[in-house]
Structure formats: structure tokens, C-alpha cells
Amino acid sequence: MRLTCTVNGEPRQADDVWEGESLLYVLRERLGLPGTKNACEQGECGSCTVYLDGELVCACLVAAGQAQDRDVVTVEGLAADRVRRAFLAAGAVQCGFCTPGLVVAVHDLLARIPEPGDADIREALAGNLCRCTGYEKILEAVRLAATGRA
């Protein structure tokens, strides 16, 4: 099938896509957007988090056919975002594998709750796993992004 959708504000298409192929695979391998990471492929780690029509999804769990004529925003679409700057400023990026999914999740959190408390932050990030930071730097980055000081 030919997949046609909007990705990061631009019309995109990929040919010869199998309907059951994951959106994650299409984004990374067919559309050349490597920011969305492939880790668990089971929707457990959050590394592949993207927006699909404004809702957070794990791209590894979305069949490519489900994205037909829909709007997808990846971490690349948030390139100038304050969240990314805050992650760098707080030292919340170590190996970087979880970072894209976390950035998208934090972006969503701050859009919903501009001044989140620690409980809000922890709940919003519960689906994102990080093996390097111990989460304190990530929490610091979210607080920094919320205050706009990044």
C-alpha cells in the first residue's frame, strides 16, 4: 500500500508499505526520521512515543495503515522546543536512547499542565523507561522547562 500522512507538518508518503508494518518502522526506515527510537517493540519503554492526531502513542504499536491520512509529530517536529533545551541544560541526556520519547511526553505534559507538580511529572512519565539517569535529572529538566528558564 501507499501510506500518505502528514509528518511534522509536511505531507509525506511511503510506497510498498505492508499494512501491518509498524509506524515506527515507517518513520525510521522509510521516511528517514531516526529520532524516534526502536527499543522494546512492545509499547513498554516509551522510546518510540510520537503524537498521532494530537494523542501520544507508542509508534511500535501502531500499524502503518492506521496512520493513513493522519497527522504524526515526532521528536524532530519539536526541534526548537524548550523541553529539548531543558534536557540539555539539566544534564538529563546520557545515552540518549530514551530521550526522544521523554521529550515528546514532557511536551504533552506541559501542554496540558503548564506548571506540573512532581506527582504530575511522575505520572506523565510513567510509561518511559530510562536506564542511565535515575530520573532525578529528568525531573529537574521538566521543572526547568516548566519555568521557561531553559
Side-chain angles (χ1 to χ4, degrees):
M1 75 173 258
R2 171 176 283 163
L3 173 64
T4 304
C5 58
T6 301
V7 180
N8 298 330
E10 296 182 18
R12 300 291 300 266
Q13 76 178 29
D15 291 320
D16 299 321
V17 173
W18 171 58
E19 290 89 345
E21 197 168 287
S22 72
L23 176 59
L24 173 62
Y25 185 85
V26 170
L27 291 170
R28 289 181 58 81
E29 305 301 328
R30 296 187 183 273
L31 299 180
L33 295 167
T36 305
K37 301 300 182 198
N38 184 2
C40 74
E41 295 186 58
Q42 297 176 14
E44 296 291 329
C45 72
S47 293
C48 65
T49 302
V50 298
Y51 284 105
L52 181 62
D53 287 341
E55 297 293 323
L56 291 186
V57 298
C58 290
C60 70
L61 297 179
V62 176
Q66 292 177 289
Q68 181 67 33
D69 298 324
R70 296 177 76 184
D71 184 52
V72 178
V73 178
T74 69
V75 70
E76 289 94 344
L78 305 174
D81 190 70
R82 65 182 168 158
V83 176
R84 289 177 70 162
R85 291 190 305 271
F87 267 70
L88 292 172
V93 178
Q94 289 190 14
C95 83
F97 214 79
C98 66
T99 306
L102 283 164
V103 166
V104 176
V106 171
H107 182 272
D108 180 68
L109 168 65
L110 295 179
R112 292 182 295 106
I113 306 172
E115 296 179 18
D118 282 356
D120 298 317
I121 297 168
R122 289 178 190 277
E123 182 178 336
L125 301 184
N128 296 79
L129 301 179
C130 176
R131 295 180 179 167
C132 299
T133 66
Y135 297 97
E136 285 307 315
K137 295 289 186 182
I138 294 168
L139 295 173
E140 183 181 329
V142 178
R143 292 182 202 111
L144 190 59
T147 63
R149 292 181 287 142

